[in-house]
Amino acid sequence: MKIPHSFHLGAHEIKVQHVPRLKDAYGMWHEQKKLIQLVKPKPDWSDNFALQVFWHEAVHAMLEHMGRGDLSEQEHFVDGLSEALTQIHLSMRDA
């Protein structure tokens, strides 16, 4: 799957930006800017890993949008949900 350059969440456009590096993270959600930053994938990363990082940050965005910052702060919850979304996405088949 190609990671999008942007998507809509409610009335907001969420931009997705690829950056050379982030401090201690593969991705970062910036609520005020409505921006997800992702580290440019390394050659040894699987496509699935890069996709899971995207979904991880998208889950942060969704939870904050829903007013559930308390859940967004629980990284184990965000990881579990993003891994499930990645698996669903990768296993989808056309009808």
Side-chain angles (χ1 to χ4, degrees), residues 7-54:
F7 61 93
H8 286 91
L9 183 57
H12 304 285
E13 181 178 14
I14 309 301
K15 303 266 185 185
V16 180
Q17 178 184 64
H18 293 273
V19 296
R21 73 186 118 170
L22 292 168
K23 184 177 181 175
D24 300 326
Y26 297 116
M28 183 69 63
W29 161 241
H30 302 277
E31 183 178 12
Q32 297 301 318
K33 296 178 184 179
K34 305 298 185 226
L35 173 69
I36 290 174
Q37 289 184 309
L38 302 172
V39 171
K40 290 181 182 178
K42 308 288 187 236
D44 61 335
W45 289 8
S46 72
D47 290 339
N48 297 354
F49 179 74
L51 182 60
Q52 194 274 331
V53 172
F54 164 75

Side-chain angles (χ1 to χ4, degrees), residues 35-89:
L35 173 69
I36 290 174
Q37 289 184 309
L38 302 172
V39 171
K40 290 181 182 178
K42 308 288 187 236
D44 61 335
W45 289 8
S46 72
D47 290 339
N48 297 354
F49 179 74
L51 182 60
Q52 194 274 331
V53 172
F54 164 75
W55 278 115
H56 179 97
E57 299 310 325
V59 167
H60 279 298
M62 288 184 273
L63 291 170
E64 303 255 344
H65 177 75
M66 295 167 52
R68 294 304 308 260
D70 59 319
L71 290 176
S72 184
E73 291 175 6
Q74 295 182 31
E75 288 297 320
H76 66 281
F77 178 80
V78 174
D79 279 340
L81 190 51
S82 64
E83 287 175 12
L85 286 167
T86 301
Q87 185 174 18
I88 289 167
H89 189 105

